[in-house]
Structures are given as C-alpha cells and as structure tokens.
Amino acid sequence: MNTNKTILVTGGAGFIGSELVRYLLENTENTVVNVDKLTYSGNLQSLVSVASNEKYIFKQIDICDENELKKVLLENKPDIVMHLAAESHVDRSIEGPKEFIQTNIVGTFILLEQVKNYWQKLNGSKKNDFRFLHVSTDEVYGDLNGKEDYFIEDSAYDPSSPYSASKASSDHLVRAWFRTYQLPVLITNCSNNYGPYQFPEKLIPHIILNAIEGKKLPIYGDGKQIRDWLYVNDHVRALLTVALKGKVGETYNIGGNNEVKNIEVVEKICNILDILIPDKLNRLNSYCELIEYVQDRPGHDVRYAIDNTKIKSQLGWEPKESFKSGMQKTVEWYLDNLPWLDNIQNGSYKLERIGVKIQ
C-alpha cells in the first residue's frame, strides 16, 4: 500500500490522529497535511519525530472555519481526506455537550460541504480516485444484548451519551452526502483504542499515571463493563487499508478481538507495574490495592464488541497485537516517556511549538 498521494488528516494532533500521521510519514511515500484546531487534547509534542519531514505540513485550523478549510484544500489538493477531528471524551460530553455538537456535527457538516465543493471541481482520475474517510466509533450502536451479540456494520444506531449521539449524527451526515451528492465516502467504526500518546484523561493512561503517583485508581460502578480493546497502531493500519482499498459508500467496523472488563484492564496494568517498578509500591503489596470503586456515570453502556469479519474478509486487515502484547508495550512506553506526561500535567505542551512547521 505504498502510494504517493497527498492525504489531509483532520485532528492529526490528537491520539489516533498523531499515530496516523506518524505511520503515514514513517511507512509510506505520501505527503501528509495535518489540520488540527489544537484544543486541550491536541499535542504537537506527539509529532516531534516527524515534524521536520519534508512531506509533512501542519495547519492550525478549526474544521468549523469554512474559509480556512477551502483554502487548505485548494492549496494542497489532497487525494484523500481522513476525518478524525472530534471531541471524544464521554465524561466531558455529559458535563458540557455543546462543544461536541459544534465540532462533531456542525464541524463535520462544514467539512463535508467544503470537500464536496473541492471534489466537484476535480477532473479525470483525480476526481475518480478521491476518497473521504470518516472515522467514527462503535459507541454509536449503543449497548449489546448478551454475550453472543456483536456490532456489525448494519447494527441499528442507539447512542447513549451526548458524545456517541454527536458521532452518530456525523455518520448520518456523511452517508447523506454520499447518497445525495455522490461524494465518495467511506466510514469506519472502531472499538476502544489504547497505546502510546493517549491523553491522560482516558482510562489506561489515567490509571498508569495515578498508579505511578500512588493515587487511587477509580473504577466506575462494579468495573464489569466490557470493551473491545484495539491497539492504536492496528487501527491506523486499518484506516489506511480502508482509504486505499475500501468500497465507496461502505462502512467497515474495526475491532481488536480483545473483549476485556474494565476491572481486568486496571488489574493488568497493576500487574505489569508490579514487575516494572516495584520500588514505587512503598508499603503496598501490589498496585491493585489502590483500586477504588466510584459511582457509575450516567448512561454507562455495559458491553461493546465488534465483529470485524467484513474488513478482514474483504480487505485483508486484522489486528497484530493481542491485549497482552499491546498493553505491555503501552505501559512500557508511558514509563519511558514520563516527560511527555509531565508536559501535559503542567500545561507546557500547549506552549511548545519547537520544530513543527506551522504554516
């Protein structure tokens, strides 16, 4: 899949977006245009390793800014747009849904309009080969019934939180622009991602950070909520596969084949830390002793699980990392990159732009 295209990535300074940008620049010949608003979770320090790459361009743009979007499309003439820009934290969506509506719904609408206008003026193979990939979540499907139930591409939408409702809305918009305007779109719905460079508000880095600092490890409810965990590098490989090989208008579910209860995730992290940094245990026998059950959040879905048969059988993708191997890599990465976490905690990541081409 080594192509020489121009790929515009929205939200490329976020967790999954930065992994995608790094992967594209380190493993392909593609030019990458990273469009990111740089909200609280956008971190250019996650892109230092590729910042000087001659095929990398960064543009600080809000996807709700139609004039700037129009300009970046016309100037860079992308062959593929991969749309990852989104507000994505469920707890934040419950506390303040407005930003989720604005970015995930209105922002996607504005982006679709500008991409449609750009695409309609293309000619020949440039127009025929153009693709718009919309990256979404399995949370749009809501909760599963029973242990034998799995999300498939045709599962009914039943979102539970303002976050998942906003992503469901954006999915519908993308499908509408395909059916009404024939914009060549693709949609992916992924399970829970984890791995390096994830913002520490999310479960896995939050638990690692708290454990290192000797703080309580909060678990919602009884901790028996089940998620299908997908290593982020596996996810971005899938995204590129879909962008290059997927059938226009189709949806592809991306899962890691790793159903794990939240409490088991935390216990796994603790067990790894028990071995890697036993010196920080102080008087504890295990980091598991820091686990604390807290009040469950409203509308908390019990189980998500993805059937990824379609992407595997039709496009030949499957995850490489097991939960065991992926979690070991993840914990080790955070321990080896504590300055990255420190810069988030003290806020300096918002100020540093050294070595990054901002145009």
Side-chain angles (χ1 to χ4, degrees):
M1 294 192 299
N2 198 357
T3 59
N4 190 6
K5 297 179 180 290
T6 297
I7 300 177
L8 188 150
V9 178
T10 71
F15 166 47
I16 301 172
S18 65
E19 180 75 17
L20 176 60
V21 170
R22 290 191 303 272
Y23 182 84
L24 290 171
L25 291 169
E26 292 169 356
N27 297 279
T28 77
E29 297 300 319
N30 298 298
T31 295
V32 179
V33 182
N34 177 8
V35 169
D36 199 293
K37 181 182 177 181
L38 294 182
T39 59
Y40 76 95
S41 60
N43 190 350
L44 292 179
Q45 292 183 347
S46 302
L47 293 161
V48 169
S49 64
V50 296
S52 61
N53 191 306
E54 62 181 11
K55 291 199 170 188
Y56 175 58
I57 299 168
F58 175 75
K59 301 280 188 176
Q60 186 172 353
I61 296 173
D62 183 346
I63 60 168
C64 293
D65 189 334
E66 55 188 303
N67 291 328
E68 287 299 314
L69 283 179
K70 179 180 180 180
K71 183 179 178 182
V72 76
L73 288 166
L74 293 177
E75 286 182 352
N76 295 279
K77 299 179 174 56
D79 302 290
I80 299 171
V81 173
M82 304 177 79
H83 178 35
L84 289 83
E87 297 287 344
S88 65
H89 193 236
V90 175
D91 288 350
R92 285 179 182 266
S93 80
I94 294 171
E95 295 167 3
K98 184 177 179 180
E99 288 298 317
F100 289 75
I101 304 304
Q102 182 67 19
T103 299
N104 299 355
I105 302 177
V106 177
T108 298
F109 157 69
I110 292 172
L111 178 63
L112 282 168
E113 277 292 270
Q114 293 307 312
V115 169
K116 180 198 71 175
N117 294 340
Y118 161 75
W119 169 74
Q120 287 178 336
K121 295 175 183 177
L122 297 176
N123 296 302
S125 61
K126 185 80 171 178
K127 183 173 185 178
N128 293 334
D129 296 341
F130 180 83
R131 297 292 183 267
F132 179 92
L133 173 62
H134 175 64
V135 180
S136 191
T137 171
D138 61 355
E139 295 192 38
V140 299
Y141 301 123
D143 214 349
L144 284 167
N145 297 314
K147 296 182 179 180
E148 303 303 318
D149 196 15
Y150 289 86
F151 296 136
I152 59 174
E153 285 76 6
D154 293 331
S155 294
Y157 276 34
D158 188 21
S160 302
S161 69
Y163 160 61
S164 56
S166 68
K167 289 298 290 184
S169 300
S170 67
D171 291 8
H172 291 320
L173 287 174
V174 173
R175 289 193 179 93
W177 260 244
F178 167 65
R179 293 170 184 169
T180 302
Y181 305 108
Q182 291 76 54
L183 184 68
V185 308
L186 301 141
I187 297 175
T188 58
N189 295 88
C190 70
S191 57
N192 278 37
N193 278 228
Y194 71 102
Y197 295 103
Q198 189 170 26
F199 201 78
E201 68 182 357
K202 296 299 179 78
L203 176 64
I204 289 174
H206 180 64
I207 293 300
I208 295 172
L209 185 59
N210 274 24
I212 292 171
E213 296 180 347
K215 297 179 181 178
K216 292 293 185 180
L217 310 181
I219 303 293
Y220 280 131
D222 59 8
K224 295 182 180 179
Q225 304 88 355
I226 297 172
R227 299 294 182 262
D228 175 12
W229 291 93
L230 174 65
Y231 192 64
V232 66
N233 188 261
D234 281 333
H235 185 198
V236 301
R237 287 192 305 103
L239 295 181
L240 184 58
T241 300
V242 172
L244 297 178
K245 297 169 62 177
K247 182 179 177 181
V248 169
E250 292 290 313
T251 295
Y252 297 89
N253 283 351
I254 305 171
N257 299 331
N258 293 303
E259 286 188 61
V260 186
K261 295 177 182 177
N262 285 348
I263 182 61
E264 293 172 346
V265 172
V266 176
E267 289 172 345
K268 179 63 176 176
I269 294 170
C270 291
N271 293 337
I272 294 173
L273 291 175
D274 286 346
I275 296 172
L276 294 180
I277 49 170
D279 54 306
K280 289 185 176 293
L281 279 168
N282 294 323
R283 298 180 181 180
L284 301 176
N285 293 314
S286 168
Y287 288 96
C288 287
E289 294 177 35
L290 296 172
I291 292 174
E292 178 183 58
Y293 293 93
V294 299
Q295 183 176 353
D296 208 352
R297 71 181 177 208
H300 201 173
D301 293 326
V302 175
R303 176 173 172 261
Y304 302 147
I306 276 182
D307 181 341
N308 60 16
T309 299
K310 181 177 178 179
I311 189 173
K312 182 178 180 180
S313 62
Q314 295 186 11
L315 305 185
W317 173 90
E318 57 184 331
K320 292 181 178 179
E321 298 292 343
S322 67
F323 184 72
K324 180 180 179 180
S325 65
M327 185 60 72
Q328 185 73 32
K329 289 181 178 181
T330 299
V331 174
E332 290 178 356
W333 184 89
Y334 281 102
L335 293 180
D336 291 338
N337 290 272
L338 292 178
W340 184 87
L341 279 171
D342 291 340
N343 288 337
I344 291 178
Q345 288 185 293
N346 62 33
S348 64
Y349 76 101
K350 297 178 181 178
L351 304 175
E352 293 184 19
R353 298 291 183 265
I354 298 173
V356 179
K357 292 187 290 185
I358 301 178
Q359 300 182 6

